[in-house]
Amino acid sequence: MTPVAGNQTAVPSGGRLSPRRRQRIGRGVQYGVLIVVVVVLAALADWGAIKQSFFNGEVAGQGMPTLFTVALRNTVIYTLTGYVMGFAVGLLLALMRQSSVAPYRWIAAGYVEIFRGLPALVIFLMIGSLPLAFPGFQVPGDVYGQAALGLGLVSAAYMAETFRAGLQAVPKGQMEAARSLGMPYLRAMVSIIIPQAIRIVIPPLTNELVLLFKDSSLVLFLGVTAGQVELAKFGNDQASTFANPTPILISGLTYLLITIPLGYVARRLEARQGAAR
Amino acid sequence: MSTVEIKNLHKSFGSLEVLKGIDFTVESGQVVCVIGPSGSGKSTLLRCVNLLEQPTSGQVVVDGVDLTDPDVDIDAARRRIGMVFQQFNLFPHLTVRRNVTIAQERVLKRGRGECDRVAQENLEKVGLLEKLDAYPGQLSGGQQQRVAIARALAMNPSLMLFDEPTSALDPELVGDVLAVMRTLAEDGMTMLVVTHEMGFAREVADRVVFMDQGVIVEDGPPEQVIADPQHERTREFLRRVLHPGV
């Protein structure tokens, strides 16, 4: 008879591993797998070729300073103009979804479904065909206008859903308080509801800016001149010119230069809002 | 002239009939407290007075204007009817000052200086002049509710509606809000108050209305309705409110 029959769990079980020991072994195995994979990849890679193809300083130097003065600058312009348009149309769609006029709700809901369901690329391919539907119509601003329109149409669908969530997150009592003070519906929306909704949706809207920044690479399908080139096309063109992929890598790094800090800002805003609740 | 006149008011939410024919009046300068169990329709009745709820049928006449008439400018009518909510509903993105001035400026088109003067005057009345530049989130519940009262008063209403103004407050904060309401009553404001504060109803109200299941059961001076109720339902309710746990 064992003296501690009622306390078996705390007793070292002879032969079998305790959960903590098993966990330690499991961790050891994971480290082992990681090391093996890294060593194998390092052994298989042709380091000389990698340096020559991807980190070719000479080729990289050829892209300067056009990379920043033209390509990055255009990427930023396309993104921001598209964002402003998406913001305005998105807010309008979100308000239409709350309209008491049913067709407005249907149009807004249909828009969101269609433009979220389509690849952004398809929309860019269609933009050039717009004059066929409206004879004589030209998107003002040439490629810049078309880019703003394309990116705006796509991001509006996503931003509409974000705004809708933000508007719904404002307590009902806010509208009631505003109306009880004699404010007409529109005035209450503009002065009381929308400012609060926008505060709520700033973090997701910052994320949308990151997404749009990347989507701006689709502008290359509009057919751009050398002066209108953005980062992705710039990298690709340079890579063909020098028969070396280094410029593509440089373009990629330039995207990260913007997207990583922006993503960080979005997370910070989110955390701050979470703490304020 | 009576300030509020409600005639055969019905209100249904879908198939649920919340108000089943309400008739009553509030005379100018009177304080009327509406009491009753939860679900009795008292808040809905109050919200029908400024048409936050659209009555299903019946008339709501305030200062001689029938608010249920579709030709009436409801925004203009609401300017004369202040409302204080259970959840305060201050605008959290605006300072106390802005909370009190925004409707004056945007609705009454008062100049900046006048807006500010009126705001200070009313914040002083509720004892919160020093909170002028604070945000609602920095105030206690009782302070927020007093700012909400100042915000309503800044519109120079002829009638004030209170929808359970102290129900969301910690017990120790109730007194400050009731004190402000008492002063308001003494100054001659016409008030319609939905409340569970029997002490306030007894001492301040000119009339107490007891509602149950969508109808007015009893309507009279507090010394009658609270101290000597005529109906069994009123007695039953008061027993539970005045002696909880017995």
Side-chain angles (χ1 to χ4, degrees):
Chain A
M1 206 177 106
T2 43
V4 281
N7 194 17
Q8 279 177 351
T9 48
V11 177
S13 43
R16 286 222 312 281
L17 287 168
S18 73
R20 258 181 294 173
R21 273 187 197 287
R22 247 181 292 150
Q23 221 172 40
R24 266 180 64 176
I25 292 173
R27 261 200 303 270
V29 170
Q30 291 177 54
Y31 274 115
V33 169
L34 182 64
I35 289 165
V36 168
V37 169
V38 170
V39 167
V40 167
L41 283 180
L44 290 177
D46 179 344
W47 289 103
I50 287 177
K51 187 169 180 308
Q52 171 62 31
S53 299
F54 294 100
F55 297 97
N56 192 318
E58 202 180 319
V59 174
Q62 297 286 331
M64 299 299 163
T66 339
L67 173 76
F68 293 109
T69 55
V70 175
L72 177 60
R73 181 171 160 270
N74 280 331
T75 294
V76 169
I77 291 174
Y78 295 142
T79 306
L80 290 185
T81 51
Y83 192 78
V84 168
M85 164 141 183
F87 191 98
V89 176
L91 185 55
L92 181 68
L93 287 168
L95 293 174
M96 281 170 70
R97 275 200 105 149
Q98 297 197 336
S99 169
S100 54
V101 182
Y104 281 178
R105 293 200 300 273
W106 301 334
I107 291 169
Y111 181 98
V112 169
E113 287 304 320
I114 290 170
F115 280 84
R116 279 202 313 181
L118 285 175
L121 175 54
V122 171
I123 292 157
F124 273 88
L125 293 175
M126 299 252 290
I127 281 193
S129 317
L130 267 181
L132 298 179
F134 304 97
F137 173 78
Q138 279 292 331
V139 180
D142 194 27
V143 166
Y144 288 100
Q146 291 183 353
L149 185 63
L151 292 170
L153 289 177
V154 177
S155 59
Y158 292 94
M159 288 203 233
E161 284 299 272
T162 307
F163 279 127
R164 187 162 79 115
L167 289 171
Q168 282 172 350
V170 178
K172 242 184 93 209
Q174 292 291 309
M175 178 55 93
E176 291 183 347
R179 296 305 304 273
S180 77
L181 289 165
M183 286 191 200
Y185 176 83
L186 213 60
R187 165 52 58 196
M189 262 306 183
V190 169
S191 293
I192 306 299
I193 308 298
I194 291 176
Q196 293 186 58
I198 286 182
R199 249 157 253 235
I200 294 169
V201 299
I202 281 176
L205 285 188
T206 311
N207 278 322
E208 180 61 31
L209 187 58
V210 173
L211 293 178
L212 207 59
F213 191 75
K214 296 188 290 177
D215 278 349
S216 68
S217 59
L218 292 168
V219 170
L220 81 91
F221 290 97
L222 295 175
V224 296
T225 65
Q228 299 162 336
V229 80
E230 45 64 60
L231 278 173
K233 182 168 165 55
F234 179 78
N236 194 38
D237 289 353
Q238 292 254 310
S240 336
T241 307
F242 300 106
N244 183 298
T246 301
I248 297 179
L249 185 92
I250 302 283
S251 278
L253 291 176
T254 314
Y255 277 107
L256 293 179
L257 210 62
I258 305 287
T259 53
I260 290 178
L262 215 53
Y264 175 75
V265 167
R267 280 193 304 281
R268 279 288 297 271
L269 289 170
E270 233 159 83
R272 220 174 60 182
Q273 207 166 68
R277 286 272 165 97
Chain B
M1 187 182 73
S2 59
T3 296
V4 182
E5 202 173 341
I6 292 175
K7 292 178 199 156
N8 197 22
L9 180 68
H10 288 259
K11 173 66 185 176
S12 301
F13 294 103
S15 59
L16 181 70
E17 193 175 23
V18 179
L19 298 179
K20 303 169 185 166
I22 301 284
D23 288 278
F24 87 107
T25 57
V26 181
E27 304 295 327
S28 183
Q30 260 191 347
V31 177
V32 175
C33 283
V34 183
I35 61 173
S38 57
S40 58
K42 53 194 194 304
S43 279
T44 305
L45 168 63
L46 194 76
R47 291 161 59 85
C48 279
V49 174
N50 67 352
L51 248 65
L52 278 185
E53 300 291 354
Q54 180 73 41
T56 309
S57 68
Q59 278 188 326
V60 178
V61 182
V62 178
D63 284 335
V65 180
D66 179 6
L67 303 187
T68 54
D69 179 352
D71 290 333
V72 162
D73 178 355
I74 190 63
D75 295 320
R78 281 181 180 140
R79 282 172 220 160
R80 309 281 297 147
I81 308 175
M83 182 150 187
V84 175
F85 299 84
Q86 183 176 355
Q87 298 296 338
F88 330 136
N89 295 347
L90 289 182
F91 306 132
H93 61 302
L94 304 175
T95 61
V96 165
R97 180 201 303 268
R98 200 74 191 115
N99 263 278
V100 185
T101 55
I102 190 164
Q104 297 184 59
E105 192 181 306
R106 295 288 156 79
V107 177
L108 299 181
K109 312 287 180 201
R110 284 180 185 154
R112 263 205 106 113
E114 195 188 355
C115 288
D116 248 22
R117 190 183 54 70
V118 174
Q120 296 193 14
E121 200 179 285
N122 283 294
L123 283 168
E124 190 158 22
K125 210 178 279 180
V126 301
L128 287 172
L129 190 54
E130 78 277 10
K131 298 292 185 188
L132 211 51
D133 295 308
Y135 280 89
Q138 299 167 317
L139 306 181
S140 74
Q143 291 172 331
Q144 288 191 46
Q145 192 62 298
R146 281 146 66 199
V147 171
I149 293 172
R151 176 176 72 176
L153 290 177
M155 304 296 284
N156 300 112
S158 66
L159 165 70
M160 285 284 286
L161 307 175
F162 292 84
D163 188 5
E164 301 197 28
T166 57
S167 296
L169 297 177
D170 289 336
E172 78 270 22
L173 303 176
V174 168
D176 290 341
V177 172
L178 291 182
V180 167
M181 290 169 62
R182 191 183 293 253
T183 313
L184 209 54
E186 284 161 5
D187 289 350
M189 176 62 76
T190 311
M191 295 163 67
L192 185 55
V193 185
V194 170
T195 188
H196 292 293
E197 298 291 336
M198 289 305 144
F200 179 83
R202 188 161 36 206
E203 288 163 36
V204 181
D206 297 301
R207 263 169 51 219
V208 173
V209 172
F210 173 70
M211 278 184 73
D212 193 20
Q213 295 173 11
V215 294
I216 290 179
V217 177
E218 203 155 342
D219 180 348
E223 48 273 21
Q224 181 199 315
V225 178
I226 294 181
D228 183 24
Q230 305 299 304
H231 290 260
E232 180 49 36
R233 268 145 89 188
T234 319
R235 268 181 238 138
E236 170 64 24
F237 171 74
L238 288 169
R239 234 191 327 272
R240 273 182 288 131
V241 177
L242 297 175
H243 311 286
V246 176

